[in-house]
Amino acid sequence: MDNTESSTAGTPTSWCHPAHRVHRFFALLLMCFLCFGSYFCYDTPGALADNFKGDSHLNTSQFALLYSIYSWPNVVLCFIGGYLIDRYFGVRLGTVIYMSILFTGAMLFALGVYINKFWLMILGRFVFGIGGESLQVAVNNYVVLWFKGKELNMVFGLQLSFSRFGSTVNFWVMEPIYHWVGNYYGGYERLGVTLFIASMTCLGSLLCGLILGFMDHRAEKILERSEQHSNEPPFRMLDILNFKTVYWLLTIICVAYYVAIFPFIALGKLFFERKFDFNPQEANTVNSMVYLLSAALSPFFGILIDKTGRNVMWVILSIITTIGSHFLLAFTFVNPYVGVMSLGVSYSLLASGLWPLVAMIVPESQLGTAYGICQAVQNLGLATVLILAGVVVDKFGYLMLEMFFLGCLFIALIAAVLIYIVDSANSGVLNLSPQEREALKTATIQTDERANLLDHESSDPDEEARPSEDERDSVLTQSDRIRSRYISHILPNTNIPDRP
């Protein structure tokens, strides 16, 4: 047996082995680029907001609908997408299917702009949305599957970093590409060709999904993942009713926090042009700072949270600083870079601390559905707020919109504080340090072992009969099953070995 097929119990020496750090790093790189095309194309309207109004003659409400329609299908389909991954598709097939839908939607949207048909633009963004959020659920499953354990916060942060880098690059390059295409096309055709070029990033992400699927299929065989989970009961839809209160509070944060981020960025270019008298390129630059800082800082925040733990504390801190950022942008004329950079730092910190909490609360067989529900309720909020935001800006201006954002953030803050209270009252692990979690895990194992020994100790000290080997194996198996089931409700599993 060569090194690539060696047991996971030892330290793999070949980079071809799925447990080797080089192999896992390459898998992580593919996971990062899976969402690059999605995030790049999601914000193409925001980067070309003036051009959509000038070439396609859209008002603010119609423009906001291009973002809102992306979210509406995911109010239901994102949850269904996660359920399909858990029950039928599996993460590999699901990723390829959702990525293909995403690419189709991007092409339809570009075609709608090219022929200047608003209904086709809406259809394209609708299809794009069906694939986009379901793809994110699949990627979250991939991340947990390969990195669940000590590295999870860092990996979530790095994956978010690359995704947001796609949005950052979009804000940087779309205006120059638009001007270059202007040498050959004019009017709305010029805008459509620009979007066709942008959609090629989704094709690149699809290729990454195919390669990652092959790697995961190979890793499943070598690491015997399917055997490890063969005894787990299949997920049933009614299991949702057993999700903990803390999980539903997390979904509230997903809605209340993100509606103060994404709608702001979608309309941010016009906000900076009107309030601070920036030209279009300057407005795009400052608007992209949220994503740029997220791309740069998310991995480091992930490592910080991996080392310190205290996820809930970091989430609360990030919400408070986000409130301060919106306050500066709404009520002062301080250089907007200050407020936007603070917003980017806060957003990166929250994402690195929030999303790994789901994997600590929900069993692995239900993760696809759990992440899908989070994405679904988040998209319900985004779809509603984006439509409302366009109307509010047209009728009342940006100050009233900022007031609404601040109200949503206070709701998120209340939910985060409640998570801290509920988790602490139930002796939870969400806000413990890694050392405290490890100590709790060790104490739980030792306590369970002592209980098993007492339960199976013979009541007759003079009895000479001893249990057979098969009986001892049965007792040990039952003991391991009880202990594993109990610990799985306290700490995330570490099915993939830690880095050598």
Side-chain angles (χ1 to χ4, degrees):
M1 183 179 293
D2 60 20
N3 288 330
T4 62
E5 304 298 326
S6 62
S7 172
T8 58
T11 300
T13 58
S14 172
W15 67 269
C16 294
H17 193 282
H20 194 278
R21 68 171 68 190
V22 175
H23 193 91
R24 299 174 72 209
F25 174 79
F26 185 64
L28 174 59
L29 199 61
L30 291 173
M31 293 176 204
C32 292
F33 279 105
L34 265 179
C35 288
F36 182 91
S38 170
Y39 278 78
F40 185 96
C41 290
Y42 173 79
D43 276 310
T44 48
L48 299 170
D50 293 327
N51 310 112
F52 271 94
K53 290 194 170 187
D55 295 342
S56 298
H57 307 292
L58 304 183
N59 58 36
T60 305
S61 297
Q62 289 176 313
F63 177 78
L65 186 59
L66 294 178
Y67 277 96
S68 176
I69 199 65
Y70 170 93
S71 299
W72 275 115
N74 293 297
V75 173
V76 176
L77 294 180
C78 188
F79 159 69
I80 294 177
Y83 174 75
L84 291 175
I85 288 175
D86 283 338
R87 192 66 189 257
Y88 299 107
F89 292 161
V91 66
R92 294 189 292 269
L93 179 60
T95 298
V96 174
I97 290 175
Y98 298 144
M99 194 66 241
S100 300
I101 294 173
L102 186 91
F103 177 58
T104 302
M107 294 294 289
L108 283 175
F109 177 59
L111 179 62
V113 175
Y114 183 77
I115 63 177
N116 199 30
K117 298 297 183 182
F118 186 67
W119 68 267
L120 188 55
M121 299 181 206
I122 294 299
L123 176 62
R125 292 290 284 186
F126 183 87
V127 175
F128 183 79
I130 293 174
E133 295 302 300
S134 296
L135 175 67
Q136 185 62 59
V137 173
V139 173
N140 288 343
N141 269 32
Y142 260 134
V143 169
V144 173
L145 192 61
W146 280 72
F147 298 97
K148 191 173 184 179
K150 296 179 181 178
E151 303 162 321
L152 192 58
N153 293 286
M154 182 273 291
V155 172
F156 263 107
L158 189 61
Q159 191 272 326
L160 172 68
S161 171
F162 270 75
S163 298
R164 287 307 175 199
F165 185 66
S167 295
T168 304
V169 172
N170 170 72
F171 279 106
W172 287 348
V173 305
M174 290 311 293
E175 281 283 349
I177 292 176
Y178 176 82
H179 291 304
W180 175 77
V181 173
N183 296 323
Y184 309 96
Y185 296 89
Y188 51 78
E189 292 183 350
R190 175 186 186 180
L191 186 59
V193 172
T194 302
L195 295 175
F196 275 123
I197 295 174
S199 65
M200 291 299 103
T201 57
C202 293
L203 181 60
S205 293
L206 176 58
L207 294 177
C208 290
L210 292 171
I211 298 172
L212 182 61
F214 169 76
M215 291 179 61
D216 188 71
H217 176 70
R218 180 173 174 273
E220 183 178 71
K221 290 184 176 180
I222 295 175
L223 301 176
E224 300 178 344
R225 279 204 234 114
S226 57
E227 292 183 14
Q228 293 172 6
H229 299 291
S230 59
N231 294 326
E232 292 183 1
F235 173 73
R236 299 174 300 119
M237 194 66 72
L238 290 177
D239 290 340
I240 296 173
L241 300 177
N242 297 324
F243 284 179
K244 300 177 182 179
T245 302
V246 171
Y247 170 79
W248 297 111
L249 290 171
L250 282 177
T251 63
I252 293 176
I253 297 177
C254 289
V255 177
Y257 185 87
Y258 282 95
V259 298
I261 301 294
F262 294 133
F264 174 79
I265 295 173
L267 302 175
K269 182 180 180 182
L270 299 177
F271 170 71
F272 295 118
E273 288 176 1
R274 294 179 184 179
K275 181 171 182 177
F276 297 97
D277 200 27
F278 283 4
N279 63 43
Q281 190 58 49
E282 289 174 334
N284 262 345
T285 300
V286 67
N287 203 29
S288 69
M289 291 303 295
V290 175
Y291 291 151
L292 177 62
L293 286 171
S294 174
L297 297 177
S298 292
F300 299 102
F301 283 143
I303 295 172
L304 173 67
I305 298 174
D306 278 331
K307 298 295 184 182
T308 64
R310 314 292 182 188
N311 290 59
V312 180
M313 180 194 72
W314 291 115
V315 168
I316 292 174
L317 178 62
S318 64
I319 295 174
I320 292 173
T321 53
T322 304
I323 291 173
S325 303
H326 273 286
F327 184 88
L328 283 176
L329 292 168
F331 300 108
T332 73
F333 282 88
V334 173
N335 191 314
Y337 277 94
V338 176
V340 172
M341 292 177 70
S342 175
L343 194 65
V345 172
S346 306
Y347 166 64
S348 304
L349 183 59
L350 178 125
S352 297
L354 180 71
W355 291 103
L357 289 176
V358 178
M360 297 183 187
I361 298 169
V362 178
E364 189 169 312
S365 62
Q366 302 170 8
L367 276 177
T369 303
Y371 279 118
I373 292 174
C374 288
Q375 300 285 116
V377 295
Q378 178 181 315
N379 278 281
L380 174 61
L382 290 174
T384 305
V385 169
L386 279 164
I387 292 177
L388 179 63
V391 175
V392 169
V393 169
D394 283 336
K395 292 186 176 182
F396 305 105
Y398 281 95
L399 179 60
M400 187 62 66
L401 184 62
E402 283 286 2
M403 294 288 289
F404 174 77
F405 289 157
L406 287 169
C408 292
L409 288 170
F410 277 108
I411 293 175
L413 180 60
I414 293 172
V417 172
L418 287 175
I419 288 176
Y420 177 82
I421 295 173
V422 172
D423 185 62
S424 299
N426 290 280
S427 302
V429 299
L430 301 184
N431 204 48
L432 297 180
S433 67
Q435 294 78 14
E436 291 171 336
R437 289 173 184 167
E438 188 64 29
L440 179 61
K441 178 180 179 180
T442 303
T444 302
I445 292 175
Q446 293 174 346
T447 301
D448 188 64
E449 287 177 340
R450 286 196 297 269
N452 264 294
L453 289 173
L454 290 174
D455 287 341
H456 296 91
E457 190 176 56
S458 174
S459 59
D460 185 0
D462 296 326
E463 183 179 359
E464 296 181 357
R466 295 178 179 273
S468 67
E469 185 175 347
D470 290 341
E471 290 173 333
R472 287 199 301 269
D473 290 342
S474 176
V475 170
L476 290 175
T477 301
Q478 178 69 10
S479 173
D480 289 340
R481 187 181 301 113
I482 294 172
R483 181 166 62 252
S484 299
R485 186 179 304 150
Y486 183 72
I487 295 174
S488 68
H489 286 81
I490 300 178
L491 294 171
N493 298 325
T494 53
N495 297 324
I496 303 299
D498 290 338
R499 292 180 178 178

